[in-house]
Amino acid sequence: MHKLRMNIPLTATDLDELERILSESGFGGPEEIARAKQVSNGLGLFVRSLIGLDREAAKQSLATFLAGKTLTANQIEFINLIINHLTEHGAMDVALLYESPFTDLTPQGPDGLFTSTQIDELIVTLERITATALVPPYSQQIIA
């Protein structure tokens, strides 16, 4: 769970151990765990949705995106909304960038604040965060 919270990539062994821990702790039987995996696109994402991402880990995961950029106040607020979401939910579907509270800053979502190149960078960043909770080799496909 520490790896999930800190945005450290999981191995297949990590996920097997997580499933064992959840089963032994009475979290649920094989059917409930299988359903959680299916609904959340994997056990790692399910657990991360419950525990969220550490705030510093969320900030660090966006550091590469932010490097070398001079941002406006609205852009900073937008990024802080992303960090808040990641801290609470552990991952973020890109489609949410076009919904409230993100569209409260600008009705166009990120399109109203960032260039298309910057939006592409942001999407890759969010996909990489998600990938750390997935079973390889799927996570490798996103990170590549």
Side-chain angles (χ1 to χ4, degrees):
M1 287 203 214
H2 174 75
K3 283 185 171 183
L4 286 169
R5 186 113 169 96
M6 300 308 292
N7 199 38
I8 299 170
L10 296 179
T11 65
T13 304
D14 293 331
L15 286 173
D16 290 343
E17 182 66 11
L18 180 60
E19 186 168 347
R20 184 191 65 74
I21 290 168
L22 292 174
S23 288
E24 289 178 1
S25 69
F27 173 75
E31 300 84 21
E32 290 86 7
I33 291 174
R35 188 171 35 253
K37 285 184 195 177
Q38 182 180 15
V39 169
S40 299
N41 297 315
L43 187 59
L45 284 175
F46 172 73
V47 172
R48 188 183 277 166
S49 74
L50 299 175
I51 63 173
L53 204 59
D54 176 78
R55 186 165 207 65
E56 286 305 312
K59 288 179 182 180
Q60 186 61 38
S61 66
L62 289 163
T64 302
F65 170 75
L66 296 172
K69 292 179 177 71
T70 303
L71 301 178
T72 67
N74 280 349
Q75 288 172 321
I76 292 169
E77 187 173 348
F78 195 90
I79 296 300
N80 283 332
L81 288 172
I82 292 172
I83 291 168
N84 291 343
H85 184 89
L86 291 170
T87 301
E88 186 173 340
H89 302 284
M92 183 171 189
D93 186 321
V94 172
L96 293 175
L97 297 174
Y98 295 91
E99 297 177 8
S100 184
F102 302 97
T103 54
D104 297 345
L105 288 173
T106 175
Q108 301 87 9
D111 297 339
L113 294 171
F114 299 98
T115 67
S116 61
T117 301
Q118 290 172 328
I119 294 169
D120 290 345
E121 289 176 47
L122 185 57
I123 290 169
V124 167
T125 299
L126 293 174
E127 288 173 345
R128 285 183 176 158
I129 294 166
T130 298
T132 62
L134 299 173
V135 176
Y138 181 72
S139 61
Q140 308 271 318
Q141 294 169 358
I142 291 177
I143 292 173

